[in-house]
Amino acid sequence: MPEPIEVRKVPLKHVSDASGLTELIDAGVIEADRVIAVIGKTEGNGGVNDYTRIIADRAFREVLVARGSRTADEVAGVPIVWSGGTDGVLSPHATIFATLPAGSVPATDEPRLTVGFAMSEPLLPEEIGRRPMIEKVAAAVRDAMARAGISDPADVHYVQTKTPLLTIHTIRDAKSRGKTVWTEHTHESMDLSNGTTALGIGVALGEIPFPADEDVMHRLDLYSSVASCSSGVELDRAQVVVVGNTRGIGGRYRIGHSVMRDALDTDGIWAAIRDAGLDLPERPHPTDLKGRLVNVFLKCEASRDGMVRGRRNAMLDDSDVHWHRQIKACVGGVAASVTGDPAIFVSVSAAHQGPDGGGPVAAIVDLGE
C-alpha cells in the first residue's frame, strides 16, 4: 500500500532559489527524506541550451542532501522535472510531492492522491522517435503505476516525464556506431522526444494501439490525454512520474484531468478542476476556488493549420520569435485567468499529448481533512 501524499507549491525567487523547499522542511510540513518528486518551471529559454533547469535541479538536490539523511547518490534518484520557459505572465515555481507516514492521516475509501516514479532503460539516440523508445517508456509507466498502487489506468490523471533529446554529441555517437537518427535538427528533436514519449504513455494506459514508426509526429489523432512530456540534455533515459488517485491511504488531495480543445479552451481547465473533486457553479470564477487549487499542469501546441477558432495567426510563420514561446505565453495567460495565479505549470511541445492545437490539463485540489 502506498503512503499518503503531501503536495505544496513554492515560488522560485531566482533561478537557484530553493528556499521554499527549505522552509517547508524546517517547518515540519514535509521531511527531506520523504520528498519523492518535484515538478517545476524555470525562467530560461526552454530550449536545448536552457541551463536554468540544471541550476534549479542542483539547488533543490543540495537542500534534500543537507536537510535529510540520504546521500547525494540517493537524492540523484529522486525525479525532479524542470520545464524551462516562463513566457508572458508565467511565474517560476515548483510543486513538491512528499510521502507522509502511514497512519499519520485518517484512511478513507475516497480517491486520494498517489504518486509513483520509475526510470526507463537507457535510451539510445537512434531509438528516439522509434519503436524501442515507445516500448521502454511504456514499461517505465507500468512500473510507476505499480509503485503508486494503481492497477486501473482510469485512476491515472497525469504522467510527467523527462527524456533525452538529440544533441550534436549524441548524433555523432549514433553515426560512429553505424546508426541513423530520426532527425539531425536538435531543436526539432525536443518535439520528437516529447511526442514519442507520449505515445509510450498512451500505449501503457491503453489509450491507443501500438503505433507504427511512421505514425510518430504524423498521426496526431493518436494521443494521450494525461501525458505531459518534457525533454532536455540532463539525462539519458525516461524519468517517469505517475500521478493518480487510489483508495485506502487518506490524505487531503485529489487529482483530475481533462483536455483543452484549443488554446482558448478555459472550459477544459475548469473540467479538470471539477474532475479533481471541487464543486463549482455553472460559470465559475477564480474566487470560487477558495484557495483549494494546489496547481494545474498543462501542455500546449500551436495548431498545425495556423488557426484558432476560425481565425488565422502567424505563430508558425514567425522567424523572430519561435512558436514555442508564443503559444506558451498565450496558454499561460488563458490558464492564469482561470486560476487567478500565474505560478502554473504550462509546457510547450505537445505532439501526441491531447488534440492538435490543444493539450492535456491536470489539476490537484485540496479537499481538506
Short mmCIF file of all heavy atoms in Angstrom, two decimals, residues 261-328:
data_model
loop_
_atom_site.label_atom_id
_atom_site.label_comp_id
_atom_site.label_asym_id
_atom_site.label_seq_id
_atom_site.Cartn_x
_atom_site.Cartn_y
_atom_site.Cartn_z
N ARG A 261 -9.31 21.79 -25.91
CA ARG A 261 -9.51 21.50 -27.33
C ARG A 261 -8.77 22.49 -28.22
O ARG A 261 -8.45 22.19 -29.37
CB ARG A 261 -11.01 21.52 -27.66
CG ARG A 261 -11.78 20.41 -26.97
CD ARG A 261 -11.36 19.06 -27.50
NE ARG A 261 -11.88 17.95 -26.69
CZ ARG A 261 -11.59 16.67 -26.92
NH1 ARG A 261 -10.77 16.35 -27.90
NH2 ARG A 261 -12.08 15.74 -26.14
N ASP A 262 -8.50 23.67 -27.72
CA ASP A 262 -7.69 24.65 -28.43
C ASP A 262 -7.07 25.58 -27.40
O ASP A 262 -7.25 25.41 -26.19
CB ASP A 262 -8.49 25.41 -29.49
CG ASP A 262 -9.67 26.20 -28.93
OD1 ASP A 262 -9.57 26.71 -27.78
OD2 ASP A 262 -10.70 26.32 -29.61
N ALA A 263 -6.33 26.57 -27.87
CA ALA A 263 -5.55 27.42 -26.98
C ALA A 263 -6.41 28.32 -26.09
O ALA A 263 -5.89 28.89 -25.12
CB ALA A 263 -4.59 28.29 -27.80
N LEU A 264 -7.70 28.45 -26.41
CA LEU A 264 -8.57 29.34 -25.65
C LEU A 264 -9.58 28.60 -24.79
O LEU A 264 -10.48 29.21 -24.21
CB LEU A 264 -9.31 30.29 -26.60
CG LEU A 264 -8.45 31.14 -27.53
CD1 LEU A 264 -9.33 31.99 -28.43
CD2 LEU A 264 -7.49 32.02 -26.74
N ASP A 265 -9.44 27.30 -24.68
CA ASP A 265 -10.46 26.46 -24.07
C ASP A 265 -10.40 26.48 -22.54
O ASP A 265 -9.91 25.56 -21.90
CB ASP A 265 -10.32 25.03 -24.59
CG ASP A 265 -11.43 24.11 -24.10
OD1 ASP A 265 -12.45 24.63 -23.59
OD2 ASP A 265 -11.27 22.89 -24.20
N THR A 266 -10.94 27.54 -21.95
CA THR A 266 -10.98 27.61 -20.48
C THR A 266 -11.88 26.53 -19.89
O THR A 266 -11.66 26.08 -18.77
CB THR A 266 -11.47 28.99 -20.01
OG1 THR A 266 -12.75 29.27 -20.61
CG2 THR A 266 -10.48 30.08 -20.41
N ASP A 267 -12.90 26.10 -20.65
CA ASP A 267 -13.78 25.05 -20.15
C ASP A 267 -13.01 23.77 -19.86
O ASP A 267 -13.33 23.03 -18.92
CB ASP A 267 -14.90 24.76 -21.15
CG ASP A 267 -15.95 25.87 -21.22
OD1 ASP A 267 -16.01 26.67 -20.26
OD2 ASP A 267 -16.69 25.93 -22.20
N GLY A 268 -11.99 23.49 -20.68
CA GLY A 268 -11.17 22.30 -20.44
C GLY A 268 -10.44 22.37 -19.12
O GLY A 268 -10.28 21.35 -18.43
N ILE A 269 -9.99 23.57 -18.74
CA ILE A 269 -9.28 23.73 -17.46
C ILE A 269 -10.26 23.56 -16.31
O ILE A 269 -9.98 22.86 -15.33
CB ILE A 269 -8.59 25.11 -17.41
CG1 ILE A 269 -7.65 25.27 -18.60
CG2 ILE A 269 -7.83 25.26 -16.09
CD1 ILE A 269 -7.08 26.67 -18.76
N TRP A 270 -11.42 24.22 -16.41
CA TRP A 270 -12.42 24.07 -15.35
C TRP A 270 -12.87 22.61 -15.23
O TRP A 270 -13.13 22.13 -14.11
CB TRP A 270 -13.62 24.96 -15.64
CG TRP A 270 -13.39 26.43 -15.41
CD1 TRP A 270 -13.44 27.43 -16.33
CD2 TRP A 270 -13.08 27.06 -14.16
NE1 TRP A 270 -13.17 28.64 -15.76
CE2 TRP A 270 -12.95 28.45 -14.41
CE3 TRP A 270 -12.89 26.60 -12.86
CZ2 TRP A 270 -12.65 29.36 -13.42
CZ3 TRP A 270 -12.59 27.51 -11.86
CH2 TRP A 270 -12.47 28.88 -12.14
N ALA A 271 -12.95 21.89 -16.35
CA ALA A 271 -13.37 20.49 -16.30
C ALA A 271 -12.38 19.65 -15.52
O ALA A 271 -12.78 18.74 -14.77
CB ALA A 271 -13.53 19.94 -17.72
N ALA A 272 -11.09 19.93 -15.66
CA ALA A 272 -10.07 19.19 -14.90
C ALA A 272 -10.22 19.46 -13.41
O ALA A 272 -10.07 18.55 -12.58
CB ALA A 272 -8.68 19.58 -15.37
N ILE A 273 -10.50 20.71 -13.05
CA ILE A 273 -10.66 21.06 -11.63
C ILE A 273 -11.90 20.37 -11.06
O ILE A 273 -11.88 19.85 -9.94
CB ILE A 273 -10.74 22.59 -11.48
CG1 ILE A 273 -9.43 23.24 -11.95
CG2 ILE A 273 -11.04 22.97 -10.03
CD1 ILE A 273 -9.48 24.75 -12.07
N ARG A 274 -12.98 20.35 -11.83
CA ARG A 274 -14.18 19.63 -11.39
C ARG A 274 -13.90 18.14 -11.24
O ARG A 274 -14.35 17.50 -10.29
CB ARG A 274 -15.31 19.85 -12.38
CG ARG A 274 -15.98 21.22 -12.32
CD ARG A 274 -17.25 21.22 -13.16
NE ARG A 274 -17.98 22.48 -13.03
CZ ARG A 274 -17.87 23.49 -13.88
NH1 ARG A 274 -17.06 23.37 -14.94
NH2 ARG A 274 -18.56 24.60 -13.70
N ASP A 275 -13.16 17.59 -12.20
CA ASP A 275 -12.84 16.16 -12.17
C ASP A 275 -12.03 15.80 -10.93
O ASP A 275 -12.11 14.68 -10.43
CB ASP A 275 -12.07 15.77 -13.44
CG ASP A 275 -11.92 14.27 -13.61
OD1 ASP A 275 -12.93 13.55 -13.51
OD2 ASP A 275 -10.78 13.81 -13.82
N ALA A 276 -11.27 16.77 -10.41
CA ALA A 276 -10.49 16.54 -9.20
C ALA A 276 -11.36 16.55 -7.94
O ALA A 276 -10.89 16.14 -6.87
CB ALA A 276 -9.38 17.58 -9.07
N GLY A 277 -12.59 17.05 -8.05
CA GLY A 277 -13.48 16.94 -6.90
C GLY A 277 -14.02 18.23 -6.35
O GLY A 277 -14.74 18.20 -5.34
N LEU A 278 -13.70 19.37 -6.96
CA LEU A 278 -14.25 20.63 -6.44
C LEU A 278 -15.62 20.89 -7.05
O LEU A 278 -15.82 20.76 -8.26
CB LEU A 278 -13.32 21.80 -6.78
CG LEU A 278 -12.05 21.97 -5.96
CD1 LEU A 278 -11.43 23.33 -6.25
CD2 LEU A 278 -12.31 21.83 -4.46
N ASP A 279 -16.57 21.27 -6.21
CA ASP A 279 -17.89 21.70 -6.68
C ASP A 279 -17.80 23.15 -7.14
O ASP A 279 -17.34 24.02 -6.38
CB ASP A 279 -18.92 21.56 -5.56
CG ASP A 279 -19.22 20.11 -5.22
OD1 ASP A 279 -19.17 19.28 -6.15
OD2 ASP A 279 -19.49 19.82 -4.04
N LEU A 280 -18.22 23.40 -8.35
CA LEU A 280 -18.14 24.74 -8.92
C LEU A 280 -19.47 25.13 -9.54
O LEU A 280 -20.22 24.26 -10.01
CB LEU A 280 -17.05 24.79 -10.01
CG LEU A 280 -15.62 24.52 -9.55
CD1 LEU A 280 -14.71 24.33 -10.76
CD2 LEU A 280 -15.10 25.66 -8.70
N PRO A 281 -19.78 26.43 -9.57
CA PRO A 281 -21.00 26.86 -10.25
C PRO A 281 -20.89 26.66 -11.76
O PRO A 281 -19.81 26.37 -12.28
CB PRO A 281 -21.09 28.34 -9.88
CG PRO A 281 -19.70 28.74 -9.55
CD PRO A 281 -19.05 27.54 -8.96
N GLU A 282 -22.00 26.85 -12.45
CA GLU A 282 -22.01 26.62 -13.89
C GLU A 282 -21.03 27.53 -14.61
O GLU A 282 -20.35 27.11 -15.56
CB GLU A 282 -23.42 26.84 -14.44
CG GLU A 282 -23.54 26.56 -15.93
CD GLU A 282 -24.97 26.75 -16.44
OE1 GLU A 282 -25.88 26.95 -15.61
OE2 GLU A 282 -25.16 26.68 -17.67
N ARG A 283 -20.94 28.76 -14.20
CA ARG A 283 -19.97 29.70 -14.78
C ARG A 283 -19.02 30.14 -13.68
O ARG A 283 -19.21 31.18 -13.04
CB ARG A 283 -20.70 30.90 -15.40
CG ARG A 283 -21.53 30.54 -16.63
CD ARG A 283 -22.20 31.76 -17.24
NE ARG A 283 -21.25 32.76 -17.69
CZ ARG A 283 -20.62 32.74 -18.86
NH1 ARG A 283 -20.83 31.73 -19.70
NH2 ARG A 283 -19.79 33.70 -19.20
N PRO A 284 -17.96 29.37 -13.43
CA PRO A 284 -17.09 29.64 -12.29
C PRO A 284 -16.18 30.85 -12.50
O PRO A 284 -15.94 31.28 -13.62
CB PRO A 284 -16.28 28.35 -12.15
CG PRO A 284 -16.28 27.76 -13.52
CD PRO A 284 -17.59 28.14 -14.14
N HIS A 285 -15.67 31.32 -11.37
CA HIS A 285 -14.75 32.46 -11.32
C HIS A 285 -13.58 32.04 -10.44
O HIS A 285 -13.75 31.17 -9.57
CB HIS A 285 -15.49 33.68 -10.73
CG HIS A 285 -14.66 34.92 -10.69
ND1 HIS A 285 -13.85 35.26 -9.61
CD2 HIS A 285 -14.53 35.92 -11.61
CE1 HIS A 285 -13.26 36.41 -9.87
NE2 HIS A 285 -13.65 36.85 -11.06
N PRO A 286 -12.40 32.60 -10.61
CA PRO A 286 -11.28 32.20 -9.75
C PRO A 286 -11.57 32.27 -8.26
O PRO A 286 -11.05 31.47 -7.49
CB PRO A 286 -10.17 33.19 -10.15
CG PRO A 286 -10.46 33.53 -11.58
CD PRO A 286 -11.97 33.53 -11.69
N THR A 287 -12.44 33.17 -7.84
CA THR A 287 -12.76 33.26 -6.42
C THR A 287 -13.52 32.03 -5.92
O THR A 287 -13.53 31.75 -4.72
CB THR A 287 -13.60 34.52 -6.13
OG1 THR A 287 -14.77 34.52 -6.98
CG2 THR A 287 -12.80 35.79 -6.42
N ASP A 288 -14.13 31.27 -6.84
CA ASP A 288 -14.84 30.06 -6.43
C ASP A 288 -13.88 28.94 -6.02
O ASP A 288 -14.30 27.96 -5.41
CB ASP A 288 -15.73 29.55 -7.57
CG ASP A 288 -16.84 30.54 -7.92
OD1 ASP A 288 -17.47 31.05 -6.98
OD2 ASP A 288 -17.07 30.79 -9.12
N LEU A 289 -12.60 29.10 -6.32
CA LEU A 289 -11.62 28.09 -5.95
C LEU A 289 -11.31 28.12 -4.45
O LEU A 289 -10.89 27.11 -3.88
CB LEU A 289 -10.32 28.28 -6.75
CG LEU A 289 -10.48 28.12 -8.27
CD1 LEU A 289 -9.20 28.53 -8.98
CD2 LEU A 289 -10.84 26.69 -8.62
N LYS A 290 -11.47 29.27 -3.84
CA LYS A 290 -11.33 29.43 -2.38
C LYS A 290 -10.02 28.84 -1.84
O LYS A 290 -9.98 28.25 -0.76
CB LYS A 290 -12.53 28.79 -1.65
CG LYS A 290 -13.87 29.36 -2.08
CD LYS A 290 -15.00 28.79 -1.26
CE LYS A 290 -16.36 29.20 -1.82
NZ LYS A 290 -16.54 30.64 -1.98
N GLY A 291 -8.95 29.00 -2.59
CA GLY A 291 -7.65 28.52 -2.13
C GLY A 291 -7.46 27.02 -2.17
O GLY A 291 -6.46 26.52 -1.66
N ARG A 292 -8.40 26.29 -2.78
CA ARG A 292 -8.34 24.83 -2.78
C ARG A 292 -7.52 24.26 -3.94
O ARG A 292 -7.20 23.06 -3.94
CB ARG A 292 -9.76 24.25 -2.85
CG ARG A 292 -10.62 24.54 -1.64
CD ARG A 292 -10.18 23.73 -0.45
NE ARG A 292 -11.17 23.73 0.63
CZ ARG A 292 -11.02 23.06 1.75
NH1 ARG A 292 -9.94 22.32 1.94
NH2 ARG A 292 -11.95 23.11 2.70
N LEU A 293 -7.20 25.06 -4.92
CA LEU A 293 -6.43 24.57 -6.06
C LEU A 293 -4.94 24.63 -5.75
O LEU A 293 -4.39 25.71 -5.52
CB LEU A 293 -6.74 25.40 -7.30
CG LEU A 293 -6.01 24.99 -8.58
CD1 LEU A 293 -6.45 23.61 -9.05
CD2 LEU A 293 -6.24 26.02 -9.68
N VAL A 294 -4.28 23.47 -5.73
CA VAL A 294 -2.84 23.44 -5.48
C VAL A 294 -2.10 23.90 -6.72
O VAL A 294 -1.26 24.79 -6.68
CB VAL A 294 -2.38 22.03 -5.08
CG1 VAL A 294 -0.86 22.00 -4.88
CG2 VAL A 294 -3.09 21.59 -3.80
N ASN A 295 -2.41 23.28 -7.86
CA ASN A 295 -1.78 23.68 -9.12
C ASN A 295 -2.48 23.00 -10.29
O ASN A 295 -3.19 22.01 -10.11
CB ASN A 295 -0.29 23.33 -9.15
CG ASN A 295 0.51 24.28 -10.03
OD1 ASN A 295 -0.04 25.19 -10.65
ND2 ASN A 295 1.82 24.08 -10.10
N VAL A 296 -2.28 23.58 -11.48
CA VAL A 296 -2.69 22.95 -12.71
C VAL A 296 -1.45 22.71 -13.56
O VAL A 296 -0.46 23.44 -13.47
CB VAL A 296 -3.72 23.79 -13.50
CG1 VAL A 296 -5.05 23.84 -12.77
CG2 VAL A 296 -3.21 25.19 -13.77
N PHE A 297 -1.52 21.67 -14.39
CA PHE A 297 -0.40 21.27 -15.22
C PHE A 297 -0.92 21.11 -16.65
O PHE A 297 -1.80 20.28 -16.90
CB PHE A 297 0.19 19.95 -14.72
CG PHE A 297 0.58 19.97 -13.27
CD1 PHE A 297 -0.35 19.73 -12.27
CD2 PHE A 297 1.89 20.24 -12.89
CE1 PHE A 297 0.00 19.75 -10.93
CE2 PHE A 297 2.26 20.27 -11.55
CZ PHE A 297 1.31 20.03 -10.57
N LEU A 298 -0.39 21.89 -17.57
CA LEU A 298 -0.90 21.92 -18.94
C LEU A 298 0.22 21.74 -19.95
O LEU A 298 1.36 22.17 -19.73
CB LEU A 298 -1.59 23.26 -19.24
CG LEU A 298 -2.71 23.74 -18.34
CD1 LEU A 298 -2.18 24.63 -17.22
CD2 LEU A 298 -3.75 24.51 -19.15
N LYS A 299 -0.13 21.13 -21.08
CA LYS A 299 0.73 21.10 -22.26
C LYS A 299 0.03 21.86 -23.37
O LYS A 299 -1.21 21.86 -23.44
CB LYS A 299 0.99 19.67 -22.72
CG LYS A 299 1.88 18.88 -21.79
CD LYS A 299 3.32 19.40 -21.77
CE LYS A 299 4.04 19.17 -23.08
NZ LYS A 299 5.50 19.47 -22.97
N CYS A 300 0.79 22.50 -24.24
CA CYS A 300 0.17 23.28 -25.31
C CYS A 300 0.98 23.15 -26.60
O CYS A 300 2.16 22.80 -26.59
CB CYS A 300 0.03 24.74 -24.91
SG CYS A 300 1.58 25.57 -24.48
N GLU A 301 0.32 23.47 -27.69
CA GLU A 301 0.90 23.29 -29.02
C GLU A 301 0.18 24.23 -29.99
O GLU A 301 -1.04 24.39 -29.92
CB GLU A 301 0.69 21.83 -29.46
CG GLU A 301 1.22 21.49 -30.81
CD GLU A 301 2.60 20.84 -30.76
OE1 GLU A 301 3.26 20.90 -29.70
OE2 GLU A 301 3.02 20.29 -31.78
N ALA A 302 0.93 24.85 -30.88
CA ALA A 302 0.31 25.65 -31.93
C ALA A 302 -0.34 24.70 -32.93
O ALA A 302 0.27 23.74 -33.39
CB ALA A 302 1.34 26.52 -32.63
N SER A 303 -1.60 24.96 -33.26
CA SER A 303 -2.31 24.11 -34.21
C SER A 303 -1.59 24.14 -35.56
O SER A 303 -1.17 25.20 -36.04
CB SER A 303 -3.74 24.60 -34.38
OG SER A 303 -4.43 23.82 -35.32
N ARG A 304 -1.45 22.98 -36.17
CA ARG A 304 -0.69 22.89 -37.42
C ARG A 304 -1.36 23.60 -38.59
O ARG A 304 -0.71 23.86 -39.61
CB ARG A 304 -0.44 21.43 -37.77
CG ARG A 304 0.53 20.75 -36.81
CD ARG A 304 1.07 19.46 -37.36
NE ARG A 304 1.97 18.82 -36.40
CZ ARG A 304 2.71 17.76 -36.70
NH1 ARG A 304 2.65 17.21 -37.88
NH2 ARG A 304 3.50 17.24 -35.77
N ASP A 305 -2.65 23.91 -38.48
CA ASP A 305 -3.31 24.63 -39.57
C ASP A 305 -3.18 26.15 -39.41
O ASP A 305 -3.69 26.91 -40.25
CB ASP A 305 -4.77 24.22 -39.70
CG ASP A 305 -5.61 24.58 -38.48
OD1 ASP A 305 -5.09 25.23 -37.55
OD2 ASP A 305 -6.80 24.20 -38.46
N GLY A 306 -2.51 26.60 -38.34
CA GLY A 306 -2.31 28.04 -38.14
C GLY A 306 -3.58 28.79 -37.82
O GLY A 306 -3.66 30.01 -38.04
N MET A 307 -4.54 28.09 -37.24
CA MET A 307 -5.84 28.70 -36.95
C MET A 307 -6.24 28.46 -35.50
O MET A 307 -5.86 27.45 -34.91
CB MET A 307 -6.93 28.11 -37.86
CG MET A 307 -6.65 28.16 -39.35
SD MET A 307 -6.89 29.78 -40.08
CE MET A 307 -8.68 29.83 -40.16
N VAL A 308 -6.99 29.39 -34.94
CA VAL A 308 -7.67 29.21 -33.66
C VAL A 308 -9.08 29.74 -33.81
O VAL A 308 -9.27 30.93 -34.10
CB VAL A 308 -6.94 29.92 -32.50
CG1 VAL A 308 -7.75 29.80 -31.21
CG2 VAL A 308 -5.54 29.34 -32.29
N ARG A 309 -10.04 28.85 -33.70
CA ARG A 309 -11.47 29.21 -33.80
C ARG A 309 -11.79 30.00 -35.07
O ARG A 309 -12.48 31.02 -35.05
CB ARG A 309 -11.93 29.94 -32.55
CG ARG A 309 -11.71 29.09 -31.30
CD ARG A 309 -12.47 29.56 -30.11
NE ARG A 309 -12.16 28.67 -28.98
CZ ARG A 309 -12.74 28.75 -27.79
NH1 ARG A 309 -13.65 29.68 -27.57
NH2 ARG A 309 -12.40 27.91 -26.82
N GLY A 310 -11.23 29.50 -36.17
CA GLY A 310 -11.54 30.08 -37.46
C GLY A 310 -10.75 31.31 -37.83
O GLY A 310 -10.92 31.86 -38.93
N ARG A 311 -9.88 31.76 -36.94
CA ARG A 311 -9.06 32.93 -37.22
C ARG A 311 -7.60 32.50 -37.39
O ARG A 311 -7.08 31.72 -36.60
CB ARG A 311 -9.15 33.95 -36.08
CG ARG A 311 -10.55 34.45 -35.80
CD ARG A 311 -11.02 35.41 -36.86
NE ARG A 311 -12.25 36.10 -36.46
CZ ARG A 311 -12.89 36.99 -37.21
NH1 ARG A 311 -12.41 37.31 -38.40
NH2 ARG A 311 -14.00 37.56 -36.76
N ARG A 312 -6.95 33.02 -38.41
CA ARG A 312 -5.55 32.65 -38.63
C ARG A 312 -4.63 33.43 -37.70
O ARG A 312 -4.97 34.53 -37.25
CB ARG A 312 -5.15 32.88 -40.09
CG ARG A 312 -4.92 34.32 -40.49
CD ARG A 312 -4.45 34.41 -41.94
NE ARG A 312 -4.13 35.79 -42.30
CZ ARG A 312 -2.91 36.31 -42.19
NH1 ARG A 312 -1.90 35.58 -41.72
NH2 ARG A 312 -2.70 37.58 -42.54
N ASN A 313 -3.48 32.85 -37.39
CA ASN A 313 -2.44 33.54 -36.63
C ASN A 313 -1.11 33.31 -37.33
O ASN A 313 -1.00 32.50 -38.25
CB ASN A 313 -2.41 33.07 -35.18
CG ASN A 313 -2.14 31.58 -35.05
OD1 ASN A 313 -1.01 31.13 -35.26
ND2 ASN A 313 -3.17 30.80 -34.74
N ALA A 314 -0.09 34.02 -36.89
CA ALA A 314 1.21 34.00 -37.58
C ALA A 314 2.28 33.25 -36.81
O ALA A 314 3.46 33.35 -37.15
CB ALA A 314 1.66 35.43 -37.86
N MET A 315 1.90 32.51 -35.78
CA MET A 315 2.91 31.86 -34.93
C MET A 315 3.87 30.98 -35.72
O MET A 315 5.08 31.00 -35.52
CB MET A 315 2.24 31.04 -33.82
CG MET A 315 1.68 31.85 -32.70
SD MET A 315 1.11 30.81 -31.31
CE MET A 315 -0.39 30.13 -32.00
N LEU A 316 3.34 30.14 -36.60
CA LEU A 316 4.17 29.18 -37.31
C LEU A 316 5.00 29.82 -38.42
O LEU A 316 5.93 29.19 -38.94
CB LEU A 316 3.30 28.06 -37.89
CG LEU A 316 2.54 27.22 -36.86
CD1 LEU A 316 1.66 26.19 -37.56
CD2 LEU A 316 3.50 26.52 -35.91
N ASP A 317 4.69 31.06 -38.80
CA ASP A 317 5.44 31.78 -39.83
C ASP A 317 6.44 32.77 -39.24
O ASP A 317 7.20 33.39 -39.99
CB ASP A 317 4.48 32.54 -40.75
CG ASP A 317 3.66 31.62 -41.63
OD1 ASP A 317 4.19 30.57 -42.03
OD2 ASP A 317 2.49 31.95 -41.91
N ASP A 318 6.43 32.95 -37.94
CA ASP A 318 7.26 33.98 -37.32
C ASP A 318 8.71 33.52 -37.21
O ASP A 318 9.01 32.54 -36.53
CB ASP A 318 6.71 34.31 -35.92
CG ASP A 318 7.26 35.61 -35.37
OD1 ASP A 318 8.43 35.93 -35.66
OD2 ASP A 318 6.53 36.30 -34.64
N SER A 319 9.61 34.21 -37.88
CA SER A 319 11.03 33.87 -37.83
C SER A 319 11.76 34.59 -36.71
O SER A 319 12.95 34.32 -36.47
CB SER A 319 11.70 34.21 -39.17
OG SER A 319 11.15 33.45 -40.22
N ASP A 320 11.10 35.53 -36.04
CA ASP A 320 11.73 36.28 -34.96
C ASP A 320 11.55 35.60 -33.61
O ASP A 320 12.50 35.51 -32.82
CB ASP A 320 11.17 37.70 -34.89
CG ASP A 320 11.50 38.51 -36.13
OD1 ASP A 320 12.67 38.45 -36.57
OD2 ASP A 320 10.60 39.17 -36.66
N VAL A 321 10.34 35.15 -33.31
CA VAL A 321 10.03 34.51 -32.03
C VAL A 321 9.42 33.14 -32.33
O VAL A 321 8.36 33.06 -32.95
CB VAL A 321 9.06 35.35 -31.18
CG1 VAL A 321 8.81 34.66 -29.84
CG2 VAL A 321 9.62 36.75 -30.96
N HIS A 322 10.09 32.08 -31.89
CA HIS A 322 9.63 30.71 -32.18
C HIS A 322 8.24 30.48 -31.59
O HIS A 322 7.90 31.00 -30.53
CB HIS A 322 10.63 29.70 -31.59
CG HIS A 322 10.46 28.32 -32.11
ND1 HIS A 322 9.55 27.43 -31.59
CD2 HIS A 322 11.08 27.66 -33.13
CE1 HIS A 322 9.62 26.29 -32.24
NE2 HIS A 322 10.55 26.40 -33.18
N TRP A 323 7.45 29.69 -32.29
CA TRP A 323 6.07 29.44 -31.84
C TRP A 323 6.01 28.80 -30.48
O TRP A 323 5.02 28.96 -29.75
CB TRP A 323 5.30 28.62 -32.86
CG TRP A 323 5.76 27.21 -33.07
CD1 TRP A 323 6.60 26.75 -34.03
CD2 TRP A 323 5.38 26.06 -32.29
NE1 TRP A 323 6.78 25.38 -33.91
CE2 TRP A 323 6.04 24.94 -32.85
CE3 TRP A 323 4.56 25.87 -31.19
CZ2 TRP A 323 5.90 23.65 -32.34
CZ3 TRP A 323 4.42 24.59 -30.67
CH2 TRP A 323 5.09 23.50 -31.24
N HIS A 324 7.05 28.07 -30.07
CA HIS A 324 7.08 27.50 -28.72
C HIS A 324 6.81 28.57 -27.68
O HIS A 324 6.04 28.38 -26.74
CB HIS A 324 8.45 26.89 -28.45
CG HIS A 324 8.61 25.48 -28.93
ND1 HIS A 324 9.63 24.66 -28.51
CD2 HIS A 324 7.87 24.73 -29.79
CE1 HIS A 324 9.51 23.48 -29.09
NE2 HIS A 324 8.46 23.50 -29.88
N ARG A 325 7.45 29.70 -27.85
CA ARG A 325 7.36 30.74 -26.84
C ARG A 325 6.02 31.48 -26.94
O ARG A 325 5.44 31.88 -25.92
CB ARG A 325 8.53 31.71 -26.99
CG ARG A 325 9.85 30.95 -27.18
CD ARG A 325 11.05 31.60 -26.65
NE ARG A 325 11.00 31.95 -25.27
CZ ARG A 325 12.03 32.46 -24.62
NH1 ARG A 325 13.17 32.65 -25.25
NH2 ARG A 325 11.92 32.80 -23.36
N GLN A 326 5.52 31.64 -28.13
CA GLN A 326 4.28 32.36 -28.31
C GLN A 326 3.08 31.59 -27.76
O GLN A 326 2.25 32.14 -27.05
CB GLN A 326 4.07 32.67 -29.79
CG GLN A 326 5.15 33.57 -30.37
CD GLN A 326 4.80 34.06 -31.75
OE1 GLN A 326 3.69 34.51 -32.00
NE2 GLN A 326 5.76 33.99 -32.66
N ILE A 327 2.99 30.30 -28.07
CA ILE A 327 1.84 29.52 -27.60
C ILE A 327 1.89 29.33 -26.10
O ILE A 327 0.86 29.31 -25.42
CB ILE A 327 1.72 28.18 -28.35
CG1 ILE A 327 0.37 27.52 -28.10
CG2 ILE A 327 2.86 27.24 -27.97
CD1 ILE A 327 -0.81 28.28 -28.63
N LYS A 328 3.11 29.20 -25.57
CA LYS A 328 3.24 29.05 -24.11
C LYS A 328 2.75 30.30 -23.39
O LYS A 328 2.04 30.21 -22.38
CB LYS A 328 4.70 28.77 -23.74
CG LYS A 328 4.91 28.28 -22.31
CD LYS A 328 6.40 28.24 -21.96
CE LYS A 328 7.19 27.44 -22.95
NZ LYS A 328 8.65 27.50 -22.68
#
